[in-house]
Amino acid sequence: MLRHRLAIVLVTALAPAVWGTTYLVTTELLPPHRPLLAAVLRCLPAGLLLIALTRRLPQGNWWWRSLVLGALNIGAFQALLFIAAYRLPGGIAATVGAVGPLITAGLSAAVLGDRLTLRTVLSGIAGVAGVSLLVLRADAKLDALGVAAALGGAVVMSAGVVLSKRWVSPAPLLATTGWQLTAGGLMLVPVALLTEGAPPTHYSAANLLGYAYLCLIGAAFTYALWFRGLQALTPTSVSFLALLSPVVATAIGWLALGQDLSPLQALGALVVLGSLAAAQSQRPGTAKQPEPEPSPEPGPAAHPAASPSVPENA
């Protein structure tokens, strides 16, 4: 049982680890000053691809649930993330975002009946401290709107994680993932057009490679792993794994881009990994388990062409 749980944790952890490569891909392969275009091309094609593969559309209340989950997990989160990234130094944005596991733990206690333990709280505080040591700089300047966006991103992501656990879809996991990626990507389209204007008309081979990586690996593959982990683990356990992203991003910056790695940053990485280990080693508290919804009879609305299948992640 413990070995099986460890395997699920490690597989789920691949998602935030891959997300930690986003900075490298964005800076080295993508056109500059187009973060929301990157978010659209990352999420929308991935969602449409998964829907095409699974041949499933939402039914009944899963139309509006998909919109809500897509907004929380993808659309609103990505928009707030990029607002924070534009208005704040990366260290502050990452440090504010690191409060996500604590927010998730509180929402899980309120919505799902999960136990909020002292170990979880201390692990969450340690995670914030570790991320701040890892990425925060002494000369970083605060911006009220940027901080609000970073905190809002942590809140909507936590709410999306908890609701994803509460609402059990009768469809295959990849289909549900595709619905969310598509809904979130469609929500980002007008935001990208209003803030960044029309997309470029020419893309280099490097640009296309970068977008393909973010779409296929950074969205379709990783979100399948992330949501698969949510099926088996508590939302709090999964949310702690998101702290791996700044650790991986810092490690890649050091190894691939030649950036400096100070002793304090190394200590911060160890603190983050320690908080992850403490959070994952805790036995989950008793929670009210949501009842899976009955799978609807197949029909033309649910199956535009033929058969189903699939999962998603972080």
Side-chain angles (χ1 to χ4, degrees):
M1 178 71 73
L2 288 176
R3 189 173 300 175
H4 177 65
R5 185 177 188 278
L6 177 60
I8 294 174
V9 169
L10 292 176
V11 170
T12 307
L14 280 175
V18 169
W19 294 336
T21 67
T22 301
Y23 175 78
L24 176 69
V25 173
T26 301
T27 56
E28 299 299 310
L29 297 178
L30 300 188
H33 314 303
R34 294 282 185 169
L36 286 171
L37 174 64
V40 171
L41 294 180
R42 177 185 190 177
C43 300
L44 184 55
L48 294 173
L49 174 64
L50 292 180
I51 291 175
L53 289 174
T54 58
R55 300 184 178 186
R56 289 287 291 267
L57 291 177
Q59 284 195 325
N61 60 12
W62 270 96
W63 281 104
W64 67 264
R65 286 185 175 185
S66 297
L67 291 175
V68 171
L69 293 176
L72 294 174
N73 287 319
I74 311 296
F77 172 69
Q78 293 282 344
L80 290 168
L81 179 70
F82 286 119
I83 291 172
Y86 261 112
R87 302 189 66 95
L88 292 174
I92 292 180
T95 302
V96 175
V99 303
L102 287 171
I103 297 172
T104 301
L107 289 176
S108 294
V111 176
L112 303 176
D114 287 349
R115 217 172 24 166
L116 181 60
T117 66
L118 179 60
R119 178 187 289 191
T120 297
V121 174
L122 292 178
S123 297
I125 294 172
V128 174
V131 170
S132 67
L133 288 174
L134 186 66
V135 298
L136 199 57
R137 300 292 176 267
D139 59 350
K141 296 180 179 179
L142 293 177
D143 173 89
L145 181 58
V147 171
L151 185 58
V155 170
V156 298
M157 182 179 183
S158 297
V161 165
V162 172
L163 281 180
S164 295
K165 185 72 173 183
R166 178 69 181 270
W167 292 340
V168 180
S169 171
L173 180 57
L174 282 186
T176 308
T177 299
W179 304 341
Q180 292 187 50
L181 285 169
T182 301
L186 288 173
M187 292 174 192
L188 286 170
V189 169
V191 180
L193 290 174
L194 287 172
T195 58
E196 297 177 359
T201 56
H202 173 75
Y203 298 94
S204 67
N207 296 158
L208 296 175
L209 178 63
Y211 286 129
Y213 173 84
L214 290 180
C215 172
L216 299 176
I217 306 299
F221 173 69
T222 52
Y223 273 104
L225 295 180
W226 184 252
F227 292 137
R228 172 64 184 86
L230 267 174
Q231 289 186 338
L233 304 171
T234 66
T236 301
S237 295
V238 173
S239 67
F240 267 95
L241 296 175
L243 298 179
L244 280 172
S245 288
V247 175
V248 171
T250 302
I252 289 177
W254 176 51
L255 293 171
L257 301 178
Q259 297 174 352
D260 293 335
L261 182 66
S262 69
L264 271 182
Q265 286 179 292
L267 175 61
L270 291 176
V271 172
V272 171
L273 295 177
S275 73
L276 292 181
Q280 302 305 323
S281 63
Q282 176 173 269
R283 295 182 63 184
T286 304
K288 39 187 179 183
Q289 295 296 323
E291 291 291 330
E293 297 182 15
S295 182
E297 291 297 321
H303 301 273
S307 55
S309 72
V310 192
E312 128 125 36
N313 165 24

